[in-house]
Amino acid sequence: MKTCEKCGNVYSDEILECPYCNREEQNSITDAAEAEQKPETDKCFCKYCGTEIVKGNDFCTHCGRSIEKKGVKHCVQCGQILTEGQQFCDKCGQKVAFAVLPKSVEKIKRKLNKKLIIVLLAALVAVAGLAVVAVNVIPKLFVSPEDYLVQGNYEKAYEKAKKEKKDLVFRENIVAAVSRDAKENLKDANSFVLREAYVTDDALNVVLGVQGANSFGGTVTSWCVYTYEKEDKKFILWNNITDFEKEEDYSWDDSNEKFEKALQNLSKTLAKSIIEEEKNKLDSEVVDRINGLNKEGELSSVELMDVVKEKLDSIEDEEGNNS
């Protein structure tokens, strides 16, 4: 048997170390480890800003508020009690913050969240306002005269067109209004297709190449000759011709037949002279836009613009005075 020199306990010769001393050391290590893992339950936090209070202090080192006396504020540097409105600590010279802190962190959060919501709502209202402007105003700023022509809005197209383009809108409006009448004169109005369009320099005469169905269901192309009548304020169909061959007079023709043939020959001569003048022909884009209006059912609502009527009336007056 052995006797431990340290604790005096007796243990077997076969055991190398005193079991009694070794057990105490192990218990000591275990107690220390448990102490480290055991969470602290005596921590204190400032009820104004949420900062942890240093153990032994009676005030917050972040905001300076006393944890015991309401309304009392300390210097965060040295702990000196400060008076209301004091700008510097009279003990250590530390500058005093004037921020009035809420009584709890939750109140701070609520206040900040409320302000954030107000800012976000204001931003959303502003964005919504900009969206309304973008939808209703901006597109109108970028609508071209050609866009208005596609819509059949000749007044807007004429208003927005540059000076050198106004004549195109002027002439296209005439062709569209005359095309509406030519379509109505067909036996099958739904078969109307505009092929070509010619307008004289003075815009008083118009020739349209119109395709439509005949009585037998076939497709024919004819030339519609129109002239402007000041009294009616519109273009009147003068003649509808299928070819430019001159009508022959025969001895057996009566006066009415001769007059009819003379009228036919006159209209053919006029139509041919208008068509042969390349400057009178309108571009294919004009023809396509008018066919597009017809396809969309908008051609029937086209009218001559007031500016067109006024100009044609003045041209007629000038020609009448010159004659």
Side-chain angles (χ1 to χ4, degrees), residues 64-112:
R65 298 285 178 174
S66 173
I67 62 174
E68 297 178 353
K69 298 179 181 180
K70 185 177 180 182
V72 175
K73 190 172 182 182
H74 296 254
C75 172
V76 296
Q77 184 71 23
C78 67
Q80 175 76 7
I81 295 178
L82 305 172
T83 59
E84 186 177 354
Q86 190 172 342
Q87 297 183 8
F88 296 91
C89 175
D90 53 12
K91 182 177 180 181
C92 68
Q94 173 72 20
K95 184 173 176 61
V96 178
F98 284 97
V100 177
L101 298 173
K103 292 185 178 181
S104 68
V105 176
E106 290 300 321
K107 192 170 182 180
I108 294 175
K109 291 181 179 178
R110 288 197 299 270
K111 194 168 184 179
L112 290 175

Side-chain angles (χ1 to χ4, degrees), residues 7 17 28 59 61 98 116 127 138 140 153 157 160 168 172 185 198 200 243 287 302 309-310 322:
C7 64
E17 295 181 1
S28 175
F59 67 94
T61 55
F98 284 97
L116 182 60
V127 170
I138 292 178
K140 295 180 181 178
N153 192 340
K160 193 156 190 177
L168 170 64
E172 186 167 337
N185 286 327
Y198 300 83
T200 56
D243 60 65
V287 174
V302 174
K309 295 177 184 177
E310 292 171 5
N322 291 334

